[in-house]
């Protein structure tokens, strides 16, 4: 491939290049036919990445200048000067260029991963979807494609390992997002990863502690050849930052802030000009003004993920932590805020902790007393310190560190203040930490629930969201659920359901409602506020994280009989059953529970049956997740109980009985328990029991008999009791040694276990051999005591069992002496 | 006495090569004849008479709003010590540039002679070449406790070398000319400084007249506080001012 020559013809071509759509296609077409003139322009860095590993050194010169501007810039300083004056006309072009490169890049990634013929458009489309194909495949004329794959994994020198890992996710995000237009590629990547982080952040049902850590630096693909006007401006200033005394440095730093530092071009320009190192070195000086100036810039550019990682790599965090001790308030604030920005990934948080940053940040909260006279400067300090703590609090160890540093009472103190900009990070920190039991205890005992409830009615949605998600996490504890009710927090929570357009808020609020609904009194309150009706309307067209919570809440509300009717009347059953086809395990567990709850009412059951809900539930027994299996089995119990012709229905599921019997081989206690309960219900139908017996339900149940888990014991005994009804199953239970362990269940403390066991023993006692075993295991004395129970069923079963044993004894005596 | 003053004054001025038109010019303008008389009156309190000092402290407490009475007392005490240390050309009424410089150098670590001279002349409001007790306390009030407003005025006065109300390009050049440590080898030595002046001007010259008026300066500083000392440090940094306050104000616990 004559790429050595490619650069030279490329130079005259570029300035005339039209921008807009046509140019993009043109470039792509040329690229596909064979890398020629446009080659270096579309994938400049890429090429370099490839060159490293390849024996085509003659190309090296070729990619140095992508267009005439770059060429001249590289050669003539005077040209640079003149260009700097004409920045405006120039700066627009690169934006277009980048856009197209992005689109190209997306295709490249997809294609490189599959072995498709790259000339065919349709093939390319396929390639995009199959991201799992092996990499490293190279078709000679299309080295361009391959090399982009290479550059993605090799591009970053600093993170060689992470790079390859990141590449996968980036490829995916790019291929899916590539149609979106406008910004440069790396911005998109950042957005994608941000989105990811925020999703996990919102996934409040579990602690976000370790879930947002995956952010990894991504190397953008534009090369140093594609330099913007900002780059030159910043480079010029960087010269004075580097080579000046504090005064000159200060002027340059202040000037640098005139660039739009929230733009990625500028952020990366600062990094690429080596200015970042200088900025961090400046922090380590005694010059407060330079430190301040530098931090003001770092604060802005640390919004960028690459910069964050670079700052951490250059040891910036350690110095910033040290600055937290500075006597200068502004400086401390800036340092705290920058730490808040940088500590968005695990390693950075660890660094902050290891260098005593948590302690210092907590001290910052402490240093300001919340009198009536505190000033703007003080609130700023608190805000920044809280922001930094918030970022840090995403790591479990940091939560502990905050607690050890005495942060909890301070969080409680500031929770009472009135400034939303302080409250947001404070509540944010609290809701992060609420995943720890010690914090939940503190939240309860320090009276923070009251403030949290109060702020639910704030006008800031972000604050409302954090309050709701703090309640969501805390309401795992019963006392907190009661406190929320006592402080009248249920009403604002219900009211917030109307803000259904803010999905993050909605997820947090529905989560809080779900957890609060675990307490019965709260459910009654929710009935008052007509929350159930509102929740039903949220069953459709919501993101998964909202659905999980909504259906979870409905599942809890279902435990109240009145609500089952309410759900049916407001048309909630159909969408609920539809959700049985979802894939998210967390969602499925909640849907199963809710459907099971609804099925407790025969009228609901009829609807579920007509929607084929039982079959869907039954198929979920095949789900690999044990939680889903267990919840599905639990939900089947009321279904079988309440469906008309349930025996017929169960038989109609091909292979269904075999499936459920085989689940008795599971290792999960909850699955075993739930399946036992389901089998007990299924076995009420004789024909089904016969089928299950054929599938070997008896030995499988007997095998489980030696357990100490009372819940399992209870349902197992029930299942055995029902399974005795067929053929020689009683004898078979005796043969498989189920009787002796069962006899021991009578010594358990749980009365429900007693009842189920007595029933099972009564059934088993119909077989004389079993009676002998029971007698040997001393059941008579225990059963005699239970005859005196107030529980009729237990009483009757115990008496029946004793009668059977007695009858056998009499018969034996008669045979012996009579 | 006048002659004495001058003879001590002049060498100092000559030591500052950067500033040909400093406070050396004002003394030449001639002082109003009434001044020495006033000095003599003020000299009494300064000369450690207990009652007189109390009077000065009282009046200064009233005028200098940033200090409490005990703090003023401490500053006056320090002033007395400095006067005693200085030779008595001013007959105990104040101290001269050398003592001033040494004091500021020791207290705040300010080393730049050019800047220190400018600081001296802003302290020395009546251009006598001698810092009186009022000038001392009022000057320190700005340095240690000044509001942004006061500090802006103070800094602008320092940077406005010729006192014409504008910081011109030439003045900036004067102040920045030693601030580049690394000169690019291929460029003219002054090129970098000129460039830096342009950068500063671009940043601060809001009315685009090629020089900084106080309005420009004020606007720039309000926008970015760091620009307060844009052309060289002339305020003590927080650490040294804190340790100075600690040292001076704690010495007299009464």
């Amino acid at each position: 491939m004559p790429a050595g020559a490619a650069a030279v013809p490329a130079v005259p071509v570029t300035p005339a290049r039209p921008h807009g759509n046509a140019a993009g296609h043109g470039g792509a077409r040329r690229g596909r036919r064979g890398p020629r003139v446009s080659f270096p322009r579309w994938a400049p860095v890429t090429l370099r990445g490839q060159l490293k590993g390849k024996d085509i050194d003659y190309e090296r010169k070729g990619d140095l200048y992508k267009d005439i501007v770059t060429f001249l810039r590289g050669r003539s300083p005077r040209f640079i000067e003149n260009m700097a004056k004409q920045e405006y006309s120039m700066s627009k072009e690169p934006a277009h260029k980048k856009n197209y490169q992005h689109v190209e890049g997306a295709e490249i990634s997809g294609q490189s991963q599959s072995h498709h013929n790259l000339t065919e458009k349709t093939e390319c489309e396929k390639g995009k979807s199959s991201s799992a194909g092996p990499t490293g495949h190279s078709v000679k004329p299309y080295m361009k494609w391959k090399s982009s794959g290479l550059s993605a994994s090799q591009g970053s020198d600093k993170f060689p390992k992470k790079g390859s890992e990141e590449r996968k996710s980036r490829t995916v995000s790019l291929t899916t997002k590539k149609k979106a237009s406008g910004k440069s590629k790396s911005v998109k990547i950042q957005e994608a990863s941000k989105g990811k982080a925020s999703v996990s952040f919102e996934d409040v049902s579990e602690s976000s502690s370790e879930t947002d850590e995956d952010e990894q630096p991504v190397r953008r693909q534009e090369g140093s050849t594609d330099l913007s006007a900002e780059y030159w401006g910043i480079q010029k200033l960087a010269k004075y930052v580097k080579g000046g005394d504090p005064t000159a440095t200060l002027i340059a730093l202040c000037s640098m802030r005139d660039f739009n530092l929230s733009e990625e071009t500028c952020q990366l320009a600062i990094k690429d000009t080596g200015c970042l190192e200088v900025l961090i070195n400046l922090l380590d000086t005694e010059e407060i003004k330079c430190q301040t100036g530098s931090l003001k810039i770092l604060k802005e550019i640390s919004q960028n993920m690459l910069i964050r990682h670079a700052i951490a790599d250059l040891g910036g965090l350690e110095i910033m932590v040290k600055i937290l001790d500075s006597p200068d308030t502004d400086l401390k604030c800036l340092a705290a805020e920058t730490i808040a920005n940088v500590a968005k990934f695990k390693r950075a948080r660890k660094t902050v902790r290891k260098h005593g940053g948590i302690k210092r940040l907590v001290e910052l909260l402490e240093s300001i007393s919340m009198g009536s006279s505190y000033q703007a400067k003080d609130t700023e300090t608190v805000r920044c310190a809280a922001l930094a703590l918030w970022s840090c609090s995403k790591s479990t160890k940091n939560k502990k560190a905050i607690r050890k540093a005495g942060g909890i009472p301070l969080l409680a103190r500031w929770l009472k203040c009135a400034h939303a900009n302080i409250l947001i990070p404070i509540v944010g920190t609290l809701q992060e930490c609420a995943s720890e039991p010690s914090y939940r205890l503190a939240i309860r005992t320090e009276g923070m629930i009251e403030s949290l409830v109060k702020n639910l009615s704030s006008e800031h949605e972000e604050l409302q969201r954090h309050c709701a998600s703090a309640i969501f996490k805390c309401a795992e504890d019963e006392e907190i659920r009661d406190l929320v009710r006592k402080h009248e927090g249920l009403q604002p929570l219900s009211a917030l359901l109307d803000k259904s357009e803010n999905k993050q808020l909605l997820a947090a609020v529905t989560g809080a409602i779900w957890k609060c609904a675990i307490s019965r009194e709260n459910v009654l309150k929710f009935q008052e506020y007509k929350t159930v009706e509102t929740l039903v309307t949220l069953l459709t067209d919501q993101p998964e994280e909202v659905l999980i919570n909504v259906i979870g809440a409905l599942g809890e509300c279902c435990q109240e009989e009145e609500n089952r009717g309410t759900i049916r009347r407001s048309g909630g059953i159909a969408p609920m059953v539809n959700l049985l086809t979802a894939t998210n395990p967390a969602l499925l567990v909640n849907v199963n529970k809710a459907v099971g709850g609804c099925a407790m009412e025969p009228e609901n059951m009829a609807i579920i049956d007509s929607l084929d809900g039982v079959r869907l539930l039954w198929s979920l027994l095949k789900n690999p997740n044990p939680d889903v299996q267990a919840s599905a089995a639990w939900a089947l119990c009321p279904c079988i109980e309440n469906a008309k012709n349930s025996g017929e229905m169960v038989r109609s599921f091909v292979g269904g009985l075999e499936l459920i019997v085989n689940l008795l081989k599971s290792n999960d206690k909850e699955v075993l328990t739930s399946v036992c309960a389901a089998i007990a219900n299924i076995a009420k139908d004789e024909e089904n029991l016969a089928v299950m017996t054929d599938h070997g339900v008896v030995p499988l149940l007997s095998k489980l008999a030696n357990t100490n888990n009372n819940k399992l014991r209870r349902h197992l005994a029930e299942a055995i009791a029902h399974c005795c009804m067929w053929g020689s199953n009683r004898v078979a239970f005796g043969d498989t040694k189920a009787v002796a362990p069962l006899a021991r269940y009578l010594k358990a403390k749980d009365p429900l276990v007693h009842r189920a066991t007595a029933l099972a023993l009564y059934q088993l006692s119909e077989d004389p051999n079993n009676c002998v075993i029971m007698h040997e295991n001393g059941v008579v004395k225990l059963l005699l005591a239970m005859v005196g129970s107030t529980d009729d069923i237990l009483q009757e079963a115990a008496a029946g069992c004793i009668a059977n044993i007695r009858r056998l004894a009499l018969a034996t005596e008669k045979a012996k002496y009579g | 006495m006048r002659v004495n003053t001058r003879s001590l004054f002049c060498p100092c001025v000559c030591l500052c090569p950067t500033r040909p038109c400093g406070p050396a010019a004002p003394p030449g303008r001639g002082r109003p004849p009434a001044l020495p008389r006033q000095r003599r009156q003020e000299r009494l309190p300064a000369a450690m008479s207990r009652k007189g000092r109390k009077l000065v402290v009282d009046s200064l407490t009233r005028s200098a709003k940033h200090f409490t009475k005990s703090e003023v007392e401490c500053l006056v005490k320090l002033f007395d010590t400095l006067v005693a240390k200085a030779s008595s050309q001013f007959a105990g009424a104040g101290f001269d540039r050398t003592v001033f410089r040494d004091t500021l150098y020791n207290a705040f670590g300010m080393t730049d002679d050019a800047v220190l001279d400018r600081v001296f002349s802003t302290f020395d409001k009546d251009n006598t070449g001698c810092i009186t007790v009022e000038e001392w306390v009022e000057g320190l009030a700005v340095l240690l406790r000044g509001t942004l407003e006061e500090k802006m005025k103070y800094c602008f006065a320092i940077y406005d070398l010729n006192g014409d109300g504008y910081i011109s390009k030439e003045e900036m050049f004067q102040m920045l000319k030693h601030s580049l440590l690394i000169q690019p080898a291929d460029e003219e030595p002054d090129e970098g400084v000129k460039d830096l002046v342009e950068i500063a001007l671009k940043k601060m010259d809001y009315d685009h007249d090629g020089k900084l008026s106080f309005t420009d300066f004020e606007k720039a500083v309000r926008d970015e506080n760091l620009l307060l000392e844009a052309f060289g440090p002339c305020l003590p940094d927080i650490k040294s001012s804190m340790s100075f306050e600690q040292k001076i104000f704690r010495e007299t616990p009464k």
Side-chain angles (χ1 to χ4, degrees):
Chain A
M1 182 192 59
V8 184
V11 173
V13 170
T14 312
R17 191 172 72 84
H19 53 79
N21 226 346
H25 288 312
R29 241 187 297 112
R30 258 176 279 152
R32 285 209 187 99
R33 244 188 264 126
R36 285 192 303 121
V37 177
S38 62
F39 183 157
R41 200 165 70 228
W42 294 118
V45 168
T46 295
L47 188 60
R48 195 177 297 169
Q50 174 192 22
L51 286 171
K52 268 180 195 164
K54 291 281 161 182
D55 52 346
I56 29 180
D57 278 0
Y58 56 88
E59 283 189 355
R60 194 167 293 253
K61 286 164 205 152
D63 72 322
L64 285 178
Y65 304 107
K66 85 172 180 1
D67 56 25
I68 193 156
V69 178
T70 321
F71 171 75
L72 287 173
R73 270 179 173 158
R75 289 296 164 98
S76 158
R78 189 165 292 277
F79 179 76
I80 296 169
E81 269 178 43
N82 289 329
M83 281 307 289
K85 286 171 194 161
Q86 299 176 6
E87 278 170 5
Y88 287 106
S89 56
M90 284 307 296
S91 58
K92 275 189 183 164
E93 181 109 46
H96 285 287
K97 230 178 271 174
K98 246 175 272 159
N99 186 11
Y100 285 106
Q101 187 178 354
H102 157 61
V103 172
E104 284 289 304
E107 284 176 12
I108 289 162
S109 314
Q111 284 161 347
S112 70
Q113 295 196 342
S114 55
H115 297 238
H116 287 292
N117 183 352
L118 298 162
T119 49
E120 290 226 12
K121 182 77 178 172
T122 47
E123 293 279 300
C124 298
E125 294 294 333
K126 265 189 223 163
K128 263 174 257 161
S129 59
S130 74
S131 58
T135 51
H137 176 71
S138 147
V139 186
K140 257 273 160 145
Y142 298 106
M143 253 179 252
K144 174 183 169 187
W145 307 128
K146 187 216 164 186
S147 61
S148 75
L150 276 178
S151 80
S153 58
Q154 293 179 347
S156 163
D157 311 343
K158 270 171 191 154
F159 315 99
K161 238 196 227 164
K162 292 165 187 169
S164 63
E165 195 185 313
E166 180 60 35
R167 186 159 62 92
K168 276 186 211 155
S169 68
R170 188 185 59 167
T171 308
V172 173
S173 73
L174 284 173
T175 44
T176 51
K177 283 194 142 201
K178 71 163 191 137
K179 292 282 188 260
S181 64
K183 296 175 192 168
S184 79
K185 170 173 190 167
S186 356
V187 167
K188 278 203 182 114
I189 293 165
Q190 204 194 354
E191 273 170 2
S193 72
K194 256 188 205 161
K196 195 169 63 177
S198 71
V199 164
S200 58
F201 185 71
E202 278 344 292
D203 184 15
V204 264
S205 60
E206 49 191 277
S207 165
S208 52
S209 328
E210 312 296 339
T211 49
D212 62 330
E213 321 274 16
D214 325 315
E215 137 185 331
Q216 306 258 318
V218 187
R219 186 67 195 180
R220 74 213 153 98
Q221 248 181 357
E222 299 99 293
S224 51
T225 43
D226 183 22
L227 296 174
S228 56
E230 287 92 350
Y231 181 90
W232 299 108
I234 283 172
Q235 195 190 43
K236 191 172 127 190
L237 292 174
K239 195 171 69 184
Y240 295 112
V241 176
K242 286 178 201 167
D245 74 344
T247 310
T249 302
L250 197 64
I251 294 174
L253 287 178
C254 291
S255 252
M256 206 176 273
R257 291 195 61 218
D258 285 346
F259 286 93
N260 184 357
L261 294 178
S262 56
E263 232 171 61
E264 195 186 35
T265 340
C266 297
Q267 293 165 346
L268 293 176
I270 288 178
K271 183 164 173 276
D272 293 343
T273 48
C275 198
L276 193 62
E277 284 88 340
V278 187
L279 288 175
I280 288 168
N281 284 342
L282 279 176
L283 296 182
D284 214 4
T285 60
E286 288 288 298
E287 287 290 331
I288 289 183
K289 288 185 296 275
C290 290
Q291 287 175 308
T292 313
S294 159
L295 272 176
K296 277 180 176 172
I297 292 171
L298 286 174
K299 185 184 92 179
E300 297 293 327
I301 62 174
S302 56
Q303 312 277 352
N304 182 311
M305 195 207 314
L306 277 170
I307 304 273
R308 285 204 282 275
H309 280 266
I311 292 176
D313 289 334
L314 293 166
L317 281 167
E318 290 88 330
I319 312 172
M320 284 189 268
V321 167
K322 236 185 277 166
I323 290 179
L324 293 176
D325 285 337
S326 157
D328 189 293
T329 318
D330 290 338
L331 194 59
K332 275 193 285 199
C333 289
L334 286 167
E337 213 174 340
T338 315
I339 290 176
N341 283 343
V342 177
K344 294 250 160 78
F345 58 104
K346 198 173 184 177
R347 187 164 47 92
R349 289 196 276 268
K350 188 175 171 188
T351 314
V352 174
R353 181 179 71 246
K354 288 265 151 106
H355 290 81
I358 303 282
K359 202 164 155 273
R360 288 184 170 94
L361 288 167
V362 170
E363 276 163 9
L364 277 187
L365 282 187
E366 195 168 19
S367 60
I368 287 132
S369 58
M370 201 181 74
S372 52
S373 64
Y374 61 101
Q375 295 155 349
K377 226 178 192 181
D378 296 340
T379 57
E380 179 68 6
T381 314
V382 175
R383 187 184 72 86
C384 295
L387 272 176
L389 282 177
W390 184 13
S391 289
C392 290
S393 67
K394 278 164 194 139
S395 299
T396 314
K397 280 188 182 163
N398 283 356
K399 292 175 194 171
K400 272 186 201 141
I402 295 174
R403 181 164 49 87
K404 276 193 190 136
I408 297 179
L410 294 166
L411 289 173
R413 187 214 285 175
W414 285 104
L415 191 59
K416 292 195 175 73
C417 84
H419 299 266
N421 59 354
I422 292 181
L423 279 170
I424 289 171
I426 293 277
V427 179
T429 313
L430 273 175
Q431 65 94 11
E432 282 299 336
C433 292
S435 57
E436 297 283 297
S438 54
Y439 276 88
R440 292 205 289 269
L441 182 71
I443 286 172
R444 179 157 58 87
T445 52
E446 303 253 354
M448 292 192 237
I449 291 291
E450 192 181 354
S451 316
L452 288 175
V453 165
K454 196 183 106 202
N455 287 318
L456 277 180
S457 314
S458 149
E459 57 196 21
H460 296 262
E461 290 196 354
E462 197 184 355
L463 182 53
Q464 292 176 321
R465 168 159 66 93
H466 294 314
C467 286
S469 78
I471 293 176
F472 179 11
K473 285 178 184 170
C474 290
E476 296 279 352
D477 301 356
E478 194 176 350
E479 287 98 332
I480 293 191
R481 292 199 287 270
D482 293 341
L483 278 174
V484 173
R485 182 181 65 252
K486 277 174 195 150
H487 290 113
E488 294 170 343
L490 301 177
Q491 205 266 327
L493 278 177
S494 308
L496 281 175
L497 285 180
D498 297 335
K499 295 198 175 178
S500 52
E501 67 287 353
N502 183 341
K503 298 301 173 196
Q504 293 183 334
L505 175 61
L506 196 60
V509 169
T510 49
I513 291 181
W514 168 21
K515 293 296 172 185
C516 285
I518 296 173
S519 291
R520 193 170 170 268
E521 292 96 327
N522 290 355
V523 176
L524 296 177
K525 279 273 169 197
F526 283 135
Q527 274 169 241
E528 228 174 87
Y529 305 132
K530 307 253 177 253
T531 313
V532 177
E533 285 89 332
T534 324
L535 284 173
V536 167
T537 62
L538 294 174
L539 276 175
T540 41
D541 300 331
Q542 297 295 337
E544 216 160 54
E545 60 263 30
V546 175
L547 279 176
I548 291 174
N549 298 341
V550 168
I551 201 91
L554 286 173
E556 292 302 334
C557 291
C558 273
Q559 309 304 315
E560 279 302 305
E561 204 180 333
E562 202 187 322
N563 290 328
R564 291 176 215 150
T566 315
I567 292 174
R568 182 186 63 243
R569 279 190 295 280
S570 40
I573 301 218
M576 235 183 231
V577 171
N578 277 343
L579 284 175
L580 285 172
T581 54
T583 49
N584 182 332
L587 178 58
L588 281 174
V589 168
N590 286 356
V591 177
N592 287 344
K593 190 170 182 197
V595 171
C598 287
M600 282 191 265
E601 183 128 329
E603 259 188 85
N604 291 355
M605 190 52 228
I607 302 175
I608 295 175
D609 200 8
S610 70
L611 293 167
D612 215 6
V614 184
R615 192 180 54 81
L616 292 172
L617 273 176
W618 208 291
S619 356
L620 286 176
L621 292 175
K622 283 191 252 183
N623 194 294
N625 187 317
D627 293 337
V628 176
Q629 290 174 350
S631 61
W634 282 121
L636 282 172
C637 296
C639 289
I640 295 164
E641 220 167 305
N642 292 318
K644 283 178 191 160
N645 302 325
S646 68
E648 192 65 38
M649 177 184 76
V650 170
R651 270 192 298 285
S652 71
F653 304 137
V654 180
L657 289 168
E658 186 180 6
L659 173 66
I660 201 161
V661 169
N662 280 332
L663 274 181
L664 287 173
K665 292 171 188 158
S666 164
N667 294 320
D668 188 282
K669 277 263 151 56
E670 189 64 22
V671 172
L672 292 174
T673 313
S674 59
V675 169
C676 282
I679 285 176
N681 276 305
I682 298 166
K684 287 174 189 166
D685 182 278
E686 213 173 34
E687 226 174 295
N688 289 338
L689 175 55
V691 178
M692 286 200 293
T693 310
D694 290 347
H695 288 305
V697 73
V698 173
L700 284 170
L701 286 174
S702 302
K703 223 184 202 171
L704 299 173
N706 282 307
T707 176
N708 294 322
N709 183 316
N710 275 343
K711 204 176 170 196
L712 176 55
R713 281 173 164 187
R714 177 188 153 197
H715 292 285
L716 178 63
E718 267 173 22
I720 290 175
H722 284 103
C723 286
C724 281
M725 308 291 191
W726 177 253
S728 58
N729 280 0
R730 292 187 182 88
V731 182
F733 276 119
D735 292 346
T736 47
K737 300 188 173 54
V739 180
L742 212 53
R744 282 196 294 277
Y745 291 4
L746 291 176
K747 289 176 190 151
K749 297 250 158 58
D750 188 347
L752 290 168
V753 176
H754 294 168
R755 182 207 275 194
T757 312
L759 280 167
L761 289 175
Y762 172 55
Q763 289 299 333
L764 290 168
S765 66
E766 304 271 323
D767 176 54
N769 283 329
N770 289 345
C771 286
V772 176
I773 305 170
M774 281 180 226
H775 190 263
E776 278 167 3
N777 282 282
V779 295
V780 177
K781 203 178 156 198
L782 294 164
L783 284 173
L784 273 175
M786 285 168 196
V787 171
S789 156
T790 48
D791 179 349
D792 288 350
I793 296 169
L794 172 58
Q795 214 177 33
E796 208 173 312
C801 185
I802 293 171
N804 281 338
I805 295 172
R806 187 64 206 144
R807 245 177 248 136
L808 178 66
L810 283 174
T812 323
E813 261 171 50
K814 206 173 172 186
K816 259 185 193 168
Y817 307 108
Chain B
M1 184 182 147
R2 265 186 174 178
V3 180
N4 256 346
T5 314
R6 274 225 191 127
S7 63
L8 197 121
F9 207 128
C10 296
C12 291
V13 178
C14 306
L15 278 177
C16 330
T18 57
R19 197 175 37 77
C21 52
R29 283 197 303 232
R31 235 171 274 125
L35 256 178
R37 275 264 292 275
Q38 282 178 347
R39 289 265 160 264
R40 210 165 293 130
Q41 281 171 347
E42 282 165 7
R43 199 186 310 148
L44 280 170
M48 313 252 180
S49 111
R50 262 193 112 72
K51 201 183 161 194
R53 193 208 278 178
K54 196 175 177 307
L55 276 174
V56 170
V57 168
D58 283 345
S59 78
L60 279 174
T61 313
R62 257 175 274 127
S63 61
K65 44 191 179 307
H66 295 307
F67 292 122
T68 64
K69 189 175 175 188
S70 66
E71 282 168 347
V72 172
E73 269 168 20
C74 295
L75 288 176
V76 171
K77 203 169 167 191
L78 175 68
F79 176 80
D80 288 342
T81 333
L82 292 174
V83 171
K85 199 162 65 177
S87 44
S88 57
Q89 298 90 1
F90 298 110
F95 53 83
D96 59 34
R97 190 179 288 261
T98 326
V99 178
F100 181 80
R101 251 195 221 183
D102 287 350
T103 315
L104 258 61
Y105 170 73
N106 289 329
F108 305 132
M110 294 163 87
T111 44
D112 189 338
D113 277 340
V115 169
L116 278 172
D117 273 330
R118 298 293 305 151
V119 175
F120 181 84
S121 46
T122 45
F123 265 61
D124 182 20
K125 288 195 181 100
D126 52 13
N127 287 321
T128 51
C130 153
I131 303 288
T132 65
V133 71
E134 290 94 349
E135 285 166 355
W136 172 243
V137 172
E138 276 161 24
L140 280 181
V142 174
L143 245 56
L144 295 174
R145 308 269 172 94
T147 60
L148 184 62
E149 195 86 9
E150 289 166 335
K151 282 180 179 169
M152 278 192 294
K153 278 182 192 149
Y154 163 83
C155 288
F156 189 82
I158 300 260
Y159 298 143
D160 180 12
L161 299 177
N162 58 9
D164 65 350
Y166 290 100
I167 305 176
S168 64
K169 272 192 196 182
E170 292 69 34
E171 284 168 327
M172 288 185 208
F173 186 85
Q174 280 299 328
M175 293 181 283
L176 294 177
K177 71 178 174 189
H178 296 300
S179 64
L180 288 189
L181 310 175
I182 305 168
Q183 288 288 355
D186 54 334
E187 283 178 37
E188 252 180 85
D190 283 349
E191 204 62 32
V193 184
K194 277 182 187 156
D195 202 22
L196 193 60
V197 168
E198 287 303 327
I199 291 171
L201 208 61
K202 189 181 160 205
K203 172 89 192 160
M204 303 172 78
D205 183 18
Y206 283 89
D207 54 13
H208 305 291
D209 61 353
K211 54 189 178 179
L212 292 187
S213 63
F214 181 70
T215 326
D216 285 334
F217 185 74
E218 190 182 8
K219 209 169 165 188
V221 174
R222 285 206 192 279
D223 186 46
E224 170 58 84
N225 287 349
L226 289 175
L227 290 173
L228 183 62
E229 294 176 75
F231 305 107
C234 52
L235 287 163
D237 66 77
I238 186 162
K239 274 184 197 144
S240 55
S241 68
M242 268 169 46
S243 66
F244 174 80
E245 287 193 24
Q246 217 169 22
K247 195 175 132 210
I248 301 303
F249 296 150
R250 195 185 273 177
E251 267 173 4
T252 47
K254 53 171 183 170

